[in-house]
Amino acid sequence: MPLATTRRTGLVDQVIEQLRTLVTSGEWPVDGRIPTEPELVEALGVGRNTVREAVRALAHNGIFEVRQGDGTYVRATSEVSAALRRLCGSELRDVLQVRRCLEVEGARLAATARTEEDLAELRAQLAHTDTTDHARFTHSDTEFHLAVVRASHNPVLIEIYRGLLEAITASVATTSATPGGMFPHDGLVEAIADGDVERAGREAAGFLDEILARSTVQDC
């Protein structure tokens, strides 16, 4: 476990930052259980009260969820993600509707703001999309849509989208598991490359509108 023994000043804050880093880096994935309190005490070289207070603080912020008798689980990667996840709710249709708002505007902005580096990344994401493996498709498709939003170069939009990434990933996993649910995005990339704002918006909306038209309310 990549934890370093802390100094004796600001112990709780130091532990909080180490635990937060393990979450944001993906070392401790969302929905995964973190090590037990005794394990953390040993790894960090601090007392139980320090570990307990740090875990409690992150649970209060929505990053951890303490389940009595079961352990502590990662709930979100940041406070922003936790707050947006609560606001968005867990129903698939809710997530898809929010995705449509963010991804359509992200695509429209990307059509005017994208760089050559952005286009290279988008095309690389398409090239590595694996439609034969559901888990890999879920990961690559989510990364593709995040890359489109990043190409907008709007920091607020990017931060909001990142905050919803767990719910977005879950929606991709759910919808792509249905027949015909793995949609190609070559047209979207070409619209962005051509600087065609309206076509980029239509391409970004098209597959989501199709999913929404046939979806029922499910838990993400």
Side-chain angles (χ1 to χ4, degrees):
M1 183 189 307
L3 291 169
T5 301
T6 60
R7 300 184 302 277
R8 291 294 173 180
T9 57
L11 283 177
V12 174
D13 288 341
Q14 291 179 52
V15 172
I16 287 173
E17 285 310 306
Q18 288 205 60
L19 301 185
R20 189 194 301 275
T21 298
L22 288 167
V23 172
T24 57
S25 69
E27 182 76 20
W28 289 352
V30 172
D31 294 329
R33 184 167 58 184
I34 73 170
T36 64
E37 186 177 283
E39 290 172 330
L40 292 175
V41 167
E42 181 178 356
L44 291 162
V46 298
R48 283 179 176 269
N49 287 341
T50 300
V51 169
R52 197 168 294 154
E53 189 173 343
V55 170
R56 187 182 300 120
L58 291 171
H60 177 75
N61 290 345
I63 294 175
F64 287 163
E65 178 186 353
V66 179
R67 302 177 188 174
Q68 294 300 323
D70 188 20
T72 299
Y73 288 77
V74 178
R75 180 60 178 160
T77 56
S78 69
E79 288 85 353
V80 172
S81 176
L84 289 173
R85 191 166 180 170
R86 286 194 296 269
L87 287 173
C88 180
S90 61
E91 290 183 345
L92 177 60
R93 181 170 291 274
D94 292 343
V95 178
L96 292 173
Q97 289 171 342
V98 172
R99 278 186 62 189
R100 190 185 189 285
C101 295
L102 300 179
E103 292 178 18
V104 169
E105 190 57 28
R108 289 171 58 86
L109 291 172
T112 61
R114 94 292 184 279
T115 65
E116 289 303 315
E117 290 76 13
D118 293 328
L119 289 177
E121 181 182 359
L122 290 173
R123 286 171 174 147
Q125 292 285 357
L126 284 184
H128 287 94
T129 299
D130 185 352
T131 58
T132 65
D133 184 286
H134 181 243
R136 290 181 181 175
F137 178 85
T138 296
H139 174 75
S140 60
D141 195 60
T142 303
E143 287 297 312
F144 170 80
H145 292 298
L146 176 59
V148 171
V149 173
R150 281 201 304 263
S152 74
H153 293 277
N154 182 308
V156 177
L157 178 60
I158 294 167
E159 181 64 20
I160 291 173
Y161 196 83
R162 283 187 181 279
L164 285 169
L165 208 56
E166 289 86 18
I168 290 167
T169 301
S171 73
V172 173
T174 300
T175 57
S176 61
T178 62
M182 296 184 182
F183 291 88
H185 299 300
D186 303 78
L188 174 56
V189 173
E190 292 314 307
I192 292 172
D194 292 342
D196 191 328
V197 174
E198 296 305 319
R199 181 155 60 94
R202 288 196 302 272
E203 290 285 348
F207 79 97
L208 287 168
D209 286 341
E210 183 175 335
I211 293 171
L212 281 163
R214 70 190 189 196
S215 70
T216 56
V217 175
Q218 305 174 45
D219 284 338
C220 239

